[in-house]
Amino acid sequence: MQQNSSTLKKMLLATLIGGALTAPAMAQTNVTVSGLVDAYAGSMRNAGDAKSRASLNSGGMTTSWFGFKGSEDLGGGLKANFLLTSFFQADTGMQGRFPGDTMWSRDANVGLSGGFGALSFGRELAPHFLPTILFNPFGDSYTFAPLILHADVPLFNASGWTNSVAGDTGWSNSIRYTTPNFGGLTANVHYQLGEVAGRNGVNNIGANALYFNGPLALTAFYHTVEVNNPTNTAGTPVAFTASRQKAWMLGGSYDLKAVKLFATYGQTSHNTDIDDKTLSLGATVPFGQGKFQASWAQTNREGTVPAAIDAKRKTAAIGYDYDMSKRTDLYAVVMNDRITNQNSGNSFGVGIRHRF
């Protein structure tokens, strides 16, 4: 009798353990950890800098990041999804893109997806992010891509040059709806709440469209922005731009196999100060186990605040990206940067990028 009781207990324990181990599989959950580490060495001098500086920095071709992505199959084609990703600086180990950046400044959102498309809530990519990084030869390089430098990177030097696009590359406190794919066409609609008592009209609104069909790709985005990002983590009200900015851009690329061509044109306009018009052109050429990259952008700036402005910024970059494997590449880039009535700058960098 005792032997049978002992056998029964062992069988029951094995059943409980087996059930615990198989429960996640039955729920069809999936969580992945991924990221990218990018570091480069070289000499940097942007337009307006007095001198060049020897540099070993993070994020030559892509801002270093890591994160978690998960989904659960809820049945009937419906899924619950979450995304948590954070930037870091590979040269110092510092968290974020800059001092004071929030922990999950790349993504921090949760939502649902299905036949209707996808709906998510939290910190999301800004409407202009995908159109700008996908339609220039240097992708999401915030160091060497001329279009990205003009759109998103201010110069903290004598030039006083500010980034054209307001609102940051990610929007906090936002809702995003993504449409299903219609023959290669998808669209995203973004709405960010300002969360300021008594100011219900404070918000960011935007949308983008992306079309991919064989060698042809097209894009467009539009936004009106008043809220800066990321929001203040100390609990004080969020900062606001000087006025509501309106921005739009059209872009396209065509892959001829021997060469892939890129072009964009866009405008940004504040209610009371600066207006920018930006044209970018570029190409990539496959060569060996990699590709040559060439890109040029010009921004014509006009405005009246704080003083009359009539300036041009022209930036050109040429590089080669060598694929050592599907996850690791080496790159080398040279860049020239010019602004009206400012010192011009020449930069170069050699780096390595690894995805995991």
Side-chain angles (χ1 to χ4, degrees):
M1 181 69 71
Q2 288 182 347
Q3 183 176 2
N4 290 340
S5 177
S6 177
T7 302
L8 182 60
K9 288 179 180 179
K10 290 180 180 180
M11 292 175 62
L12 180 58
L13 180 60
T15 301
L16 291 173
I17 293 174
L21 292 174
T22 59
M26 293 174 63
Q28 297 183 343
T29 58
N30 178 43
V31 177
T32 59
V33 179
S34 59
L36 179 149
V37 185
D38 182 325
Y40 72 96
S43 175
M44 301 301 297
R45 185 179 181 182
N46 294 112
D49 287 343
K51 297 180 179 180
S52 60
R53 63 189 183 279
S55 301
L56 197 159
N57 283 337
S58 179
M61 290 294 279
T62 302
T63 307
S64 299
W65 64 274
F66 75 96
F68 308 89
K69 180 180 181 179
S71 65
E72 179 185 11
D73 192 334
L74 301 175
L78 187 65
K79 290 184 178 181
N81 310 294
F82 79 88
L83 190 57
L84 292 170
T85 52
S86 177
F87 293 112
F88 67 93
Q89 298 177 38
D91 56 327
T92 64
M94 184 177 176
Q95 178 267 321
R97 299 164 293 175
F98 46 80
D101 199 11
T102 53
M103 177 65 184
W104 306 107
S105 55
R106 192 174 190 265
D107 301 284
N109 54 72
V110 64
L112 297 170
S113 63
F116 63 90
L119 187 65
S120 56
F121 305 86
R123 182 166 172 83
E124 308 273 4
L125 301 176
H128 79 282
F129 181 77
L130 290 177
T132 52
I133 71 166
L134 295 177
F135 288 83
N136 85 84
F138 287 91
D140 52 346
S141 173
Y142 286 75
T143 304
F144 295 113
L147 175 61
I148 302 300
L149 291 175
H150 288 216
D152 293 315
V153 183
L155 295 178
F156 298 101
N157 60 21
S159 71
W161 190 272
T162 58
N163 47 301
S164 292
V165 178
D168 197 17
T169 58
W171 286 6
S172 303
N173 307 319
S174 68
I175 304 168
R176 180 175 69 168
Y177 169 68
T178 302
T179 68
N181 189 312
F182 299 105
L185 175 65
T186 58
N188 297 280
V189 180
H190 303 247
Y191 181 81
Q192 177 182 5
L193 291 79
E195 294 193 338
V196 176
R199 299 186 64 183
N200 292 331
V202 175
N203 53 44
N204 291 347
I205 304 171
N208 63 43
L210 300 160
Y211 175 75
F212 299 95
N213 188 355
L216 177 66
L218 300 170
T219 193
F221 89 82
Y222 174 84
H223 80 207
T224 66
V225 160
E226 189 172 2
V227 183
N228 282 328
N229 293 280
T231 53
N232 192 302
T233 56
T236 57
V238 297
F240 298 95
T241 55
S243 61
R244 181 171 288 277
Q245 183 195 69
K246 296 181 180 179
W248 61 267
M249 189 190 80
L250 301 174
S253 66
Y254 197 86
D255 193 348
L256 297 167
K257 301 300 182 182
V259 59
K260 185 175 182 179
L261 304 174
F262 300 83
T264 70
Y265 179 77
Q267 296 186 14
T268 65
S269 176
H270 284 75
N271 288 348
T272 58
D273 43 56
I274 297 173
D275 294 337
D276 284 351
K277 298 178 181 178
T278 301
L279 171 68
S280 77
L281 302 172
T284 58
V285 178
F287 183 82
Q289 200 168 314
K291 62 184 177 183
F292 284 104
Q293 303 153 295
S295 185
W296 170 87
Q298 175 177 294
T299 296
N300 296 337
R301 173 164 291 180
E302 297 178 352
T304 57
V305 176
I309 300 171
D310 186 5
K312 288 184 180 180
R313 184 180 184 186
K314 298 180 180 180
T315 308
I318 299 175
Y320 182 71
D321 191 13
Y322 176 80
D323 293 322
M324 300 186 72
S325 69
K326 290 183 178 180
R327 297 191 298 171
T328 304
D329 59 309
L330 302 175
Y331 58 85
V333 185
V334 294
M335 181 178 72
N336 176 262
D337 192 23
R338 299 174 181 269
I339 297 176
T340 304
N341 298 324
Q342 300 291 330
N343 295 326
S344 62
N346 293 309
S347 303
F348 72 87
V350 177
I352 181 170
R353 176 172 51 175
H354 177 75
R355 304 161 184 83
F356 61 89

